[in-house]
Amino acid sequence: DGGITQSPKYLFRKEGQNVTLSCEQNLNHDAMYWYRQDPGQGLRLIYYSQIVNDFQKGDIAEGYSVSREKKESFPLTVTSAQKNPTAFYLCASAELWGQGSTGNTIYFGEGSWLTVV
Amino acid sequence: AQTVTQSQPEMSVQEAETVTLSCTYDTSESDYYLFWYKQPPSRQMILVIRQEAYKQQNATENRFSVNFQKAAKSFSLKISDSQLGDAAMYFCAYRGNAGNMLTFGGGTRLMVKP
């Protein structure tokens, strides 16, 4: 079954602790993204990657880090420097602009809830 | 930078009636796509409809259609014969050929009354 898998669905972080959210896709997409969504708000871009071993900061990258060692994987680490990490996190992927047959559509995983305790 | 604006934080519609959600955007690019995504309480982002900027014909998917006004930079979503399952947050989004990113509006919460 093709798609984007995020894990865990629920995660609790203690103060001062780093946590990592997993995102795996088997759609053979080159581009991958991480978005943050706060309650009742829209989506804000944290990081994105268009190729293995390369990634760019989005609008709210401070306190987060990513890696892209494999095409299908784009894990997000929420570091202790992120002072207000409680939110819903969405991973997404897409073919690069103008390539493929999906009409430049970006597809999403089911999301992960992160709560600070 | 591109911006997407949804001016209606909340909308309500009677079941079986029609509702239109508004979206405006700002860009200097000539080649781009516009999307409407639905986010139900499960928080899954579901693609509703997409529009290619260079196509003049408005996209249609069953009960969902758009009114794309390129010169006015407007992209509204019309839902016909509204159903209870249409109740959700709806996000308008923009993807251009620079940066491969998707920029979202703030969302519109749609309530459907039985």
Side-chain angles (χ1 to χ4, degrees), chain A residues 15-28:
Chain A
E15 295 283 348
Q17 193 177 49
N18 291 356
V19 293
T20 297
L21 306 179
S22 170
C23 178
E24 303 277 332
Q25 54 98 1
N26 60 5
L27 300 169
N28 200 34

Side-chain angles (χ1 to χ4, degrees), chain B residues 37-111:
Chain B
Y37 284 90
K38 171 185 177 181
Q39 188 180 45
S42 67
R43 293 275 184 151
Q44 174 78 49
M45 293 291 284
I46 302 166
L47 176 68
V48 175
I49 199 166
R50 66 171 171 243
Q51 175 78 42
E52 303 166 65
Y54 64 86
K55 285 192 175 179
Q56 292 187 335
Q57 186 175 7
N58 289 325
T60 300
E61 288 286 343
N62 300 315
R63 297 183 296 108
F64 299 88
S65 62
V66 299
N67 183 5
F68 174 48
Q69 301 290 328
K70 190 172 183 178
K73 296 180 181 174
S74 170
F75 182 61
S76 61
L77 174 70
K78 185 172 82 171
I79 305 174
S80 304
D81 185 26
S82 296
Q83 300 175 0
L84 295 177
D86 294 334
M89 283 288 288
Y90 285 82
F91 291 98
C92 178
Y94 169 102
R95 187 182 187 197
N97 63 350
N100 276 294
M101 294 176 289
L102 197 63
T103 302
F104 286 89
T108 296
R109 181 174 301 282
L110 178 66
M111 295 173 284

Side-chain angles (χ1 to χ4, degrees), chain B residues 17-52:
Chain B
E17 294 190 346
T18 296
V19 65
T20 298
L21 308 184
S22 300
C23 173
T24 58
Y25 60 95
D26 189 25
T27 184
S28 58
E29 295 177 313
S30 59
D31 190 13
Y32 53 88
Y33 278 68
L34 296 163
F35 304 87
W36 279 97
Y37 284 90
K38 171 185 177 181
Q39 188 180 45
S42 67
R43 293 275 184 151
Q44 174 78 49
M45 293 291 284
I46 302 166
L47 176 68
V48 175
I49 199 166
R50 66 171 171 243
Q51 175 78 42
E52 303 166 65

Side-chain angles (χ1 to χ4, degrees), chain A residues 22 46 110 116:
Chain A
S22 170
I46 305 172
E110 294 187 348
V116 174

Side-chain angles (χ1 to χ4, degrees), chain A residues 5-79:
Chain A
T5 301
Q6 289 187 238
S7 64
K9 188 159 182 68
Y10 300 96
L11 186 59
F12 298 91
R13 192 194 91 167
K14 295 181 179 179
E15 295 283 348
Q17 193 177 49
N18 291 356
V19 293
T20 297
L21 306 179
S22 170
C23 178
E24 303 277 332
Q25 54 98 1
N26 60 5
L27 300 169
N28 200 34
H29 287 167
D30 286 294
M32 295 189 74
Y33 312 81
W34 275 104
Y35 287 89
R36 169 178 170 148
Q37 186 178 29
D38 292 284
Q41 304 295 315
L43 280 72
R44 294 183 290 170
L45 182 65
I46 305 172
Y47 268 99
Y48 67 104
S49 169
Q50 300 182 71
I51 194 170
V52 172
N53 293 323
D54 188 49
F55 44 83
Q56 289 77 41
K57 293 181 179 180
D59 300 321
I60 55 166
E62 185 175 351
Y64 299 96
S65 66
V66 293
S67 63
R68 187 88 186 272
E69 297 177 2
K70 299 185 296 182
K71 184 177 182 177
E72 58 270 23
S73 179
F74 191 43
L76 173 73
T77 297
V78 185
T79 74

